[in-house]
Amino acid sequence: MLDLTSASLTALAAGLAAGTFTSRQLADHYLDRIRRLDGALNAFVLVDEAGARHLAEAADRRRAAGYPLGPLDGLPIAVKDLCDIRGQVTTAGSHAWRERVAQETAPVVSRLVAAGMVLLGKTQMVEFAFGGWGTNPHLGTPLNPWDLAEPRIPGGSSSGSGVAVAAGLVPAALGSDTGGSVRIPATANGVTGLKTSRGRIEAAGTIPLSPTLDTIGFLARTAEDALLLTEAVRTGAGQGGPVTPAPQADPARPLAGIRIAALDPADYPVPVHADVRSATVAAEETFRALGASVETVRVPFDFLRLMTANGVIIAAEAYAYHGGQIDEPGLRFGEGVRTRVLSGRAIAASDYLAALAYHAEMQALWRRWCGQYHALLTPGLADPAVPLSDVAEDMSSPAVFTRAGNFVDATGLALPAGFSQGGLPVGIQLLGAPASERFLAGLGSAFQRVTDWHLRTPDLRALAA
């Protein structure tokens, strides 16, 4: 029997094709799970039960008539609440925007619906997508499902998307990533996250944080699922290489010929938890066993400098978009987000332009470096999900490994890679060349064929009781 809590989109698609269940039955299953569990988890800001059932029934009618739209037809998904859907409220995580009704639907959402997907609702997020811990003081912070005793960070800014997938409320969810906002919640919640490179998925109709750095991505159970979604909505030119590396003579070593770079732990830009270091080393060995060459190297850039410059661009552009309202005393903005947005006002034009110039320089350097290596493997987060009580709004972002990917315009893939001694998920990140979503997903799929970290799910029986 297929366990729907941990089922991948591809497994669900096979079940629909075989007549094991209908799309309406799938939708009802996940809607019931949301109804029972999300009061505690707070992953969703909006659940559209009537709309979901309408879409599911339409998919069932198409399938019964012999006209399914494709592999995603009839499968459930949730979208981050920065995507406009005509007639629905888009809060972008802000209490001040709780009555902002969208006039049009974002193209990325329209393409999901055109592929036949069943939209269950919108997921919670950090206000204006400006934060990596996943906290939201006014609309509520989603509960990381791996520790029900002590609330821990869900990761941000796609916090609700990460929690919803990890908790089995939905098999996949859309997110966005400006400095790690897909990869951080994927790592913190033990799911897979694929960050596309800039322009690969149209961002129109999504609330911007930094147009220079914003990208769209997906959180899902597997790398194969994340790629399937990406391909359904992708608009960027080029195919980005094969789904998997070229076939090898030895099927036990499918990644023969692939060169992966890894960091010496002594060169990590920040201290990294021992359990994260161990999982990263184990992942390196797994890739070696699959035939890849994993070489310890020194990367030609400084993670901390890239993180800082990335932050300059984000703050300046966030203030350009939100500055007209962020000072209004009658609007309830989170003080942490308000402070971060207002920090953009103090950034001199010369500093912003210097950060943009450095951004262009590092993009060119990354493209050259990718001529030597197919991917860079790093930890996803320096620590397993920390308790919310340890987080202060003025703390540095947890995005030290992930922001570099946005700054050099890498494709990024977060993969579950183990658990801490306390039972919290830990993960790795693969960074690849721009437009290499298919290739990176191939590496991730090879890794997930010989590991089962991505199939583990949290025990939520206490919430369901």
Side-chain angles (χ1 to χ4, degrees):
M1 293 291 293
L2 182 63
D3 179 4
L4 298 184
T5 303
S6 61
S8 67
L9 289 176
T10 50
L12 294 175
L16 285 174
T20 306
F21 39 71
T22 66
S23 180
R24 172 62 191 265
Q25 289 171 331
L26 274 186
D28 284 343
H29 168 83
Y30 289 108
L31 289 170
D32 177 67
R33 192 166 173 85
I34 293 168
R35 199 179 302 113
R36 289 186 293 111
L37 300 178
D38 199 50
L41 295 172
N42 191 38
F44 281 84
V45 67
L46 169 73
V47 179
D48 183 9
E49 293 197 14
R53 292 192 178 101
H54 175 78
L55 291 170
E57 289 165 0
D60 287 335
R61 288 193 295 270
R62 288 192 297 270
R63 191 173 301 278
Y67 296 107
L69 296 175
L72 295 173
D73 197 5
L75 297 179
I77 193 166
V79 301
K80 185 176 180 177
D81 193 28
L82 51 60
C83 296
D84 281 344
I85 299 177
R86 185 176 180 178
Q88 293 186 10
V89 171
T90 303
T91 70
S94 180
H95 181 274
W97 284 19
R98 65 195 184 282
E99 296 181 359
R100 179 190 176 278
V101 177
Q103 302 303 306
E104 301 293 340
T105 298
V108 64
V109 176
S110 294
R111 292 188 179 103
L112 291 173
V113 174
M117 299 207 77
V118 176
L119 305 185
L120 299 186
K122 288 186 163 189
T123 53
Q124 298 276 13
M125 56 180 285
V126 175
E127 190 170 20
F128 300 146
F130 204 167
W133 299 108
T135 56
N136 189 313
H138 292 314
L139 297 186
T141 299
L143 177 67
N144 188 314
W146 289 96
D147 190 346
L148 303 183
E150 180 170 24
R152 292 179 179 272
I153 64 161
S157 62
S158 307
S159 52
S161 291
V163 169
V165 175
L169 306 185
V170 67
L174 181 148
S176 67
D177 194 310
T178 308
S181 290
V182 163
R183 292 159 291 153
I184 293 172
T187 301
N189 290 285
V191 301
T192 302
L194 179 60
K195 168 212 168 302
T196 58
S197 55
R198 185 167 174 266
R200 295 284 280 172
I201 298 176
E202 186 176 356
T206 63
I207 305 302
L209 175 62
S210 167
T212 297
L213 300 167
D214 290 343
T215 60
I216 305 297
F218 290 97
L219 298 96
R221 189 63 56 190
T222 68
E224 183 181 13
D225 284 357
L227 178 65
L228 188 64
L229 292 163
T230 299
E231 290 291 287
V233 300
R234 183 181 57 77
T235 57
Q239 291 298 315
V243 175
T244 55
Q248 303 298 314
D250 184 356
R253 294 171 56 81
L255 301 187
I258 301 303
R259 297 184 68 190
I260 298 175
L263 302 176
D264 187 319
D267 293 332
Y268 287 164
V270 293
V272 171
H273 192 283
D275 293 337
V276 176
R277 291 200 308 271
S278 297
T280 304
V281 171
E284 293 171 10
E285 290 304 316
T286 298
F287 280 110
R288 288 191 180 100
L290 289 167
S293 169
V294 181
E295 306 170 34
T296 301
V297 304
R298 287 199 169 186
V299 293
F301 52 74
D302 182 328
F303 276 90
L304 292 177
R305 184 182 175 192
L306 264 60
M307 180 178 177
T308 300
N310 182 287
V312 168
I313 295 173
I314 292 175
E317 295 184 354
Y319 182 74
Y321 187 83
H322 295 290
Q325 61 177 340
I326 204 71
D327 267 336
E328 291 187 29
L331 296 178
R332 288 177 59 189
F333 296 113
E335 286 308 307
V337 168
R338 189 194 299 269
T339 298
R340 288 192 286 276
V341 172
L342 286 174
S343 71
R345 183 166 58 189
I347 295 172
S350 58
D351 292 335
Y352 173 64
L353 292 175
L356 289 179
Y358 185 48
H359 174 47
E361 177 188 345
M362 289 298 101
Q363 288 180 85
L365 182 150
W366 179 251
R367 288 192 294 270
R368 292 194 300 271
W369 192 84
C370 287
Q372 304 173 54
Y373 297 97
H374 295 98
L376 172 65
L377 189 157
T378 77
L381 290 171
D383 299 280
V386 299
L388 282 174
S389 59
D390 291 350
V391 175
E393 286 291 354
D394 59 354
M395 287 176 63
S396 178
S397 169
V400 63
F401 287 107
T402 56
R403 273 193 186 179
N406 300 82
F407 201 76
V408 301
D409 194 28
T411 306
L413 179 67
L415 295 169
F419 287 86
S420 71
Q421 292 187 30
L424 299 172
V426 296
I428 60 168
Q429 169 186 239
L430 292 173
L431 295 178
S436 64
E437 292 85 6
R438 289 173 64 83
F439 182 80
L440 270 197
L443 297 184
S445 294
F447 181 82
Q448 290 180 331
R449 280 194 291 272
V450 296
T451 62
D452 70 350
W453 308 118
H454 60 293
L455 300 178
R456 310 284 183 93
T457 57
D459 184 352
L460 300 179
R461 286 174 294 181
L463 297 184

